Structure formats: C-alpha cells, structure tokens
Amino acid sequence: MSAEVISIGALLVMFVVGTVLPINLGILAFVATFAIGTASLGLTEDEIFEGFPAKLFVTIVGVTYLFSVARRNGTIDWLVAAGVRLVRGKVALIPWVLFLVAALLTAFGTFTPAAVAILAPIGMNFAYRYKLNPLVVGMMVISGGHAGAFSPLAVSGALVLGLVDKTELQVSAVTLFSASFLINLVLSALTYALLAKRPAPLAEGSEEAAEDEDLAVSDGPDWRQWLTLACLVALVVGALGFHLEIGFLALAAGALLALVDMRRQEKAVDGVSWSTLLLVAGMMTYIAMLEKAGIIENISEHAAGLGAPVAVALLLCFTVALTSAFASSTAILTAIIPIAVPLLLSSHLSAAGLIAALAVSTTIVDTSPFSTNGALVLSNARGVDPRRFYRQVIGYTGGIVALGPIVAWGALILPWS
C-alpha cells in the first residue's frame, strides 16, 4: 500500500473517530503524524516538528487571551452594548455590520485571519449577549473577510494577480474581486436566511447567565476600559499599518492590562481555548507533513490530468476546496494556480473564470475549524456546548465543501467554457 493511500486513509479515519467519539482530534493527528511520518514517509522528528503551526498557535493564544482580559474588565460588555446602541437596538443587523467591516478591512490590505482575529471575539460576544445564533455571526465574519480578500490591495488578491502576471494569461483585478465579493455576499445571505432563527447549541445554564448580566451602557468607560480600548486600537494599527505579528501584539497588550488589574485578571488565561488549539495544531502539523512529502501536490496534479477541460475545472475546484478545509488556503492557491495554467493554455476555458473559481473554492471553506478563521470562531464562542458547536461548524463547512465548488464552477466557468 502506498504512503499516499495510507496517509489519506488515516486522515479520514481520524476525522470520523474524532467527530463521533469524545477524543480531541488533535491528539489523534499528532500520533498519526509521528507514526506515518517516520514509518511510511521516512521523515525525521525534526522535519515533523517543522510543520507545527507556531504562528497560528501564538495568534490564537494571544487574541483569545487579550479578549478574555477585556471581557473580565468590562470592556467587551461596554463595546457590545454600545454596538447595539449604534444600530439603534436592531440587533438583527449586527451580523451584517460585522460582514461589511470585515470586507472593508481585508479589501484595504488586512490579511483575512487578522481581520477575523479582531472581529470574531467581538461578534461572539454580541451573539452571546443578544442570543443571536453564534454560527451565523461567526460564519458571516469569515465570509465578510473573504468578500474583500481578493481586491488588488489585499494579500490574497495581490498573491493571485502576481502569480497570473508571471504567465501568458490575463485576469482582470475587478473580475477577481467582484466574483469573490458577490459569492460571499450570497453565501452570507443564505446563511442568515436559513440559520438565523435556529437555536444555538447552548451550554447548560448559559441562557440564565446571559440574562443575568447587565447590558446597559454606563456613562463612560473607566480608566481600565479606556486603556483596553487604546490597546485594541494599537493592535489594529500595528497589525494593519505596520504589519506586525498580531499574536505577539495581543499577548503584550493582554499582559499590560493584566498587570494593572491583577485582582480581576488572575484567571484570564482560562479564557484561552486550549482544546481548540490542540485540535488545530495537531491537524495542521499532520497536513504540513503531507505537504512536505509531496502528497498534497500529487493530489492536485492527478486532478489536473483527467478528462475534458470543463470537467477537470470542476474537479480542481473540488480538490482545492477539500484540501483547503484542512490546510493553508494561501499555500493551496500558490500550488494550484501554476497547475491550472497548462489547462488554460491548452483549452478554451476562461482564464479569469477559472482563476476566480479556484480562488473562491479555496477560501470559501475557511469556515473549517481546522483553518485559522474557523478556529478563531470556535475558540471565541461563548455560552455554547463546545462539542455540539464544533459539529455545527463541521456540518456547515461540509455543506460548503459539497456545494461551493459547484456554485463557483457554474457561475464563473461554465458560462464561458
């Protein structure tokens, strides 16, 4: 049996076992990484540890710790209540406000995970306070981030356009941005229409706790809350204006706030979602092992070598969607576009259509709890049963993996094939 079959089979087994049984999927992934990496793929322990997502680990720890501190000193309560006042009490508009803010942030150059890292904790607190469906709020934050992610100023947009510029193909920046924005807008509208009224998977006793908390906006923030707001602004400026690592900035801000309010912040570290960190770190280490062994690239190349161009295009969309649900969408985009170029040069497929469809199919599945964005939503959810909410996110992502590539293919490739 080939190493490729073993590694993909192990991935499927882990996914089923970790979803059905009460064991953290990250633990299974770490065990499988070591066993398969050393026994089947011939990797050393050092090569395996190179795949550990240290940057993602620091980002999730830093952001969740900072917002745990902010929640304990009352700043999040103040922001949530002030946000409701801003929309004049129409809390149903909150997911759309978050969608638009996320789209603006990414369209003007914010890396999507950074935008989600800033907005997901705030959105999850809105959902908790006002009994909005946290799945809808979290997924709309992510969709908003991807709606603006392919503007010429955005990281993903610049990456894709830069890759295309190295070839003989021509792809309009307006087409790429418009395709991503419209599909994510439609996805958000469907998510809101179908799921907004569904009950959240509440943890036992959380509903009463939410009702008991005071949601009124005080006359103004106290000095600790003003300092917290200043730290949040500094976090945004540092991440957006100076491209500093958001995880380290968040840890520094959280440490400063904890030092000036040690009595209330003694247990702030409990707000870090360690189970989510274990799950994401284990899975990403496993996927990094597959990438190092060339298995991810082989899967994409096999897809590109099959059938008629229109059918191959659909297969490529499915391949990148399924792979990106577990791996870095940036890495997948970097690998798949060069693979798609020979197909475009030898067929009558629309270059703009296929490139846009691949970009959308790769990023639209970042709602997965194994991606940075999905993990941030999962780790910042409040008042929900973690296991039930995890299953909801998995089910939502599974629906996107199944239908998203078909929509992208039908809207962007088929009409001009």
Side-chain angles (χ1 to χ4, degrees), residues 9 22 30 36 47-48 128 136 138 149 189 222 255 282 309 319 336 364:
F30 277 124
I36 295 175
E47 289 174 324
I48 290 173
Y128 175 69
V136 172
D222 61 23
T319 301
I336 199 64
I364 204 172

Side-chain angles (χ1 to χ4, degrees), residues 19-106:
T19 302
V20 174
L21 300 179
I23 182 170
N24 192 293
L25 187 57
I27 294 175
L28 299 177
F30 277 124
V31 173
T33 301
F34 176 77
I36 295 175
T38 55
S40 296
L41 302 178
L43 300 177
T44 66
E45 293 180 8
D46 289 340
E47 289 174 324
I48 290 173
F49 279 118
E50 287 174 2
F52 182 82
K55 184 176 180 180
L56 173 60
F57 183 91
V58 172
T59 297
I60 295 179
V61 170
V63 170
T64 54
Y65 176 70
L66 172 60
F67 278 88
S68 175
V69 171
R71 189 161 57 241
R72 287 176 174 272
N73 67 21
T75 304
I76 295 299
D77 293 346
W78 189 88
L79 284 173
V80 169
V84 173
R85 174 182 287 180
L86 187 64
V87 297
R88 298 180 180 179
K90 298 178 181 178
V91 294
L93 295 178
I94 289 172
W96 288 108
V97 172
L98 292 169
F99 174 91
L100 292 174
V101 172
L104 284 172
L105 286 175
T106 54

